[in-house]
Amino acid sequence: MKPIGDVLKNLNIQITRTSNGSPEETPEWRCPICQDTGFYILEVPVGHPQFGRLQKCNCRKVQDEARKAGDLRSLSNLNLMAHLTFENFDETVPGVEDAYEAARAFARDPDGWLLLRGPIGSGKTHLAVATALEMIERFDSPVLFMVVPDLLDHLRAAFDPSKSIDYDERFEQVKTANILVLDDLGTENATPWAREKLFQIFNYRYNERLPIIVTTNVDLRPGNGRSQASGAIDERIRSRLLDERTTYAELDAEDYRTRKRPPQLKQLRR
Ligand SMILES: [Zn+2]
């Protein structure tokens, strides 16, 4: 293959370099394949499908991917939570292992919805974020992370009849996100308006078979002794959440954040 620098030189085209001088003065390339231009041309005979075509160099591909992953994380509202990975989750805490395994399986093969149920501080948000982060990597797809009460505040704030476009756009964004994480369902202030908005999101995604990862501390299972608490969740949402396509994972741990891990274990997991 031929670095694009050489090709352009032969064509008598000036190469603009942002850093240091002309190609002749800087023979030490960080990438000798493309001579830091990011592209090269394969030496193939005339008539070959790749003849004269710019090839993206691996060094550029690596840069592009790093940038894309960063963009996706910030689009996802996940930049501040990028440390909440599976690797940093302590699955040895009693009561969380099943949920941990379910979340890992879902990240590999997101079929239906994932519902993570557990008390405050049980690590359900950590697992939801870890699942989302792995899906970003695996599927090269943006994930939208929203805390449910915040989501409804956003929608309410954007809901101004004179600025209906902002609202529609935001609502569309949440409804149609490739992968949606809804954190803390059941803690929202459930006005009729909020219930309707939430239901529309769930219903759309149910019909379109778009994945959702939900965390809640409300016990949704029918016939459960604590089921009166599920009054906090719209019955129509509850029935879709309890569909057979949902993976229901329960975290029974005590407050996960207050637990101390042995230091040697912590180091191993870094
Ligand atoms: Zn290169």
Side-chain angles (χ1 to χ4, degrees), residues 23-59:
E24 288 83 354
E25 290 161 357
T26 54
E28 296 213 354
W29 315 108
R30 267 172 303 153
C31 175
I33 294 170
C34 65
Q35 300 186 348
D36 297 347
T37 59
F39 296 91
Y40 60 85
I41 284 178
L42 289 173
E43 288 183 82
V44 290
V46 182
H48 187 282
Q50 294 304 320
F51 179 79
R53 281 199 154 182
L54 286 183
Q55 310 288 327
K56 198 190 262 189
C57 186
N58 262 337
C59 69

Side-chain angles (χ1 to χ4, degrees), residues 9-213:
K9 210 158 44 187
N10 294 340
L11 293 174
N12 251 343
I13 297 170
Q14 190 93 39
I15 308 167
T16 321
R17 286 186 188 285
T18 45
S19 49
N20 34 5
S22 72
E24 288 83 354
E25 290 161 357
T26 54
E28 296 213 354
W29 315 108
R30 267 172 303 153
C31 175
I33 294 170
C34 65
Q35 300 186 348
D36 297 347
T37 59
F39 296 91
Y40 60 85
I41 284 178
L42 289 173
E43 288 183 82
V44 290
V46 182
H48 187 282
Q50 294 304 320
F51 179 79
R53 281 199 154 182
L54 286 183
Q55 310 288 327
K56 198 190 262 189
C57 186
N58 262 337
C59 69
R60 174 66 64 93
K61 284 185 195 159
V62 169
Q63 278 176 20
D64 284 357
E65 264 156 37
R67 193 178 331 115
K68 210 193 279 171
D71 284 352
L72 289 181
R73 268 202 308 278
S74 75
L75 260 180
S76 308
N77 294 335
L78 286 174
N79 266 346
L80 293 173
M81 292 180 280
H83 59 292
L84 297 179
T85 60
F86 284 127
E87 287 68 32
N88 287 332
F89 186 86
D90 185 0
E91 78 277 19
T92 62
V93 170
V96 303
E97 201 191 338
D98 290 352
Y100 171 82
E101 293 299 337
R104 288 219 90 149
F106 187 86
R108 282 193 299 273
D109 180 19
D111 188 23
W113 294 349
L114 174 66
L115 177 57
L116 297 162
R117 218 284 304 182
I120 293 165
S122 57
K124 57 187 187 298
T125 299
H126 186 151
L127 276 186
V129 172
T131 308
L133 289 172
E134 183 158 326
M135 287 167 81
I136 291 176
E137 294 291 319
R138 200 174 275 272
F139 303 107
D140 203 10
S141 170
V143 171
L144 192 58
F145 178 94
M146 304 285 318
V147 181
V148 175
D150 292 350
L151 163 68
L152 294 174
D153 284 349
H154 278 302
L155 290 177
R156 258 184 230 114
F159 184 65
D160 174 347
S162 62
K163 291 189 280 180
S164 65
I165 289 168
D166 290 349
Y167 166 78
D168 288 343
E169 268 177 16
R170 206 181 286 260
F171 187 62
E172 248 346 85
Q173 220 179 28
V174 178
K175 224 172 68 173
T176 61
N178 283 357
I179 301 158
L180 178 66
V181 184
L182 291 178
D183 194 30
D184 248 350
L185 180 71
T187 57
E188 67 277 2
N189 183 6
T191 63
W193 183 86
R195 274 175 189 255
E196 191 51 35
K197 288 299 123 190
L198 259 186
F199 169 68
Q200 285 174 16
I201 291 167
F202 275 96
N203 192 47
Y204 178 86
R205 300 185 67 87
Y206 182 85
N207 291 334
E208 298 296 319
R209 297 190 160 231
L210 290 168
I212 316 183
I213 302 164

